[in-house]
Amino acid sequence: MVEELAQTISKANAYLEKWNKKDLPLKNLISNIQFSIQLDDSYFLNIAKIRALKVLWNLIVTSWKSSLKSNITIETHLTTITQTEDENYNKLKATSQAMSAVIGGTNRLYIYPSDSFKNKRGTINAQRIALNSQHLMQLESYMDKVQDPAAGSYYLEKLTDDLAEAAWNKLIRSGLL
């Protein structure tokens, strides 16, 4: 996960370098950059991963120009790699992964149908259930109404800081910045 965060931030920083070499205003690019990440089975690490990505991106943006502010956009895909041949288990797993994505602060979420291991699109019923999972979190649980649901949780704050620090150190050590 540390490697993935370091590579993601390194690539985003490379875009900023290219944009800057063309003497274009960084503010225009920063407001349009979007990150797309995948989540795995680790509930708390998924939350911390998204939060650490936000921390790292803010460090990059402020290192370019301290007056710049970034509203990061993160799109999250739940991996099909973690799916099994048990559709009901996949539904439960997807719900847990989706909750960690929302609590972590993702802006867009894509849940694969629980039977996508059979064919990429899944059945119409599985597509509907995947979509309804998102609607339940938004319309009935109001998970989109809280700014940072993980704020104040010592464990998640520490995990986020540790991930961000490890990724930042990897960027520095490997010369990716």
Side-chain angles (χ1 to χ4, degrees), residues 5-136:
L5 284 169
Q7 290 295 326
T8 301
I9 290 298
S10 175
K11 287 177 185 176
N13 189 55
Y15 282 119
L16 292 177
E17 287 174 356
K18 287 178 185 177
W19 195 265
N20 192 47
K21 284 180 184 175
K22 295 179 181 181
D23 286 329
L24 298 169
L26 290 177
K27 184 178 181 178
N28 294 348
L29 178 66
I30 288 172
S31 64
N32 290 307
I33 284 188
Q34 298 179 32
F35 293 89
S36 180
I37 60 173
Q38 290 188 340
L39 300 183
D40 57 21
D41 288 339
S42 183
Y43 183 77
F44 291 113
L45 278 174
N46 287 336
I47 296 170
K49 176 182 177 180
I50 294 169
R51 297 178 85 233
L53 180 60
K54 291 179 175 188
V55 168
L56 292 166
W57 181 241
N58 284 326
L59 285 171
I60 291 292
V61 169
T62 56
S63 70
W64 274 93
K65 191 172 183 181
S66 61
S67 64
L68 289 175
K69 299 289 184 219
S70 171
N71 290 330
I72 187 172
T73 300
I74 301 174
E75 179 179 285
T76 306
H77 297 269
L78 306 183
T79 60
T80 56
I81 297 168
T82 61
Q83 287 194 337
T84 66
E85 292 188 18
D86 183 351
E87 293 179 38
N88 292 323
Y89 180 73
N90 292 341
K91 290 173 195 168
L92 292 171
K93 190 187 301 190
T95 302
S96 174
Q97 289 174 331
M99 279 184 57
S100 66
V102 172
I103 291 170
T106 193
N107 302 90
R108 292 188 192 107
L109 175 63
Y110 183 77
I111 300 174
Y112 291 99
S114 60
D115 62 355
S116 63
F117 63 90
K118 293 178 183 175
N119 64 38
K120 288 198 178 214
R121 295 194 61 205
T123 61
I124 291 173
N125 187 47
Q127 289 174 3
R128 186 173 153 264
I129 290 173
L131 182 61
N132 284 346
S133 299
Q134 297 175 53
H135 288 159
L136 284 170

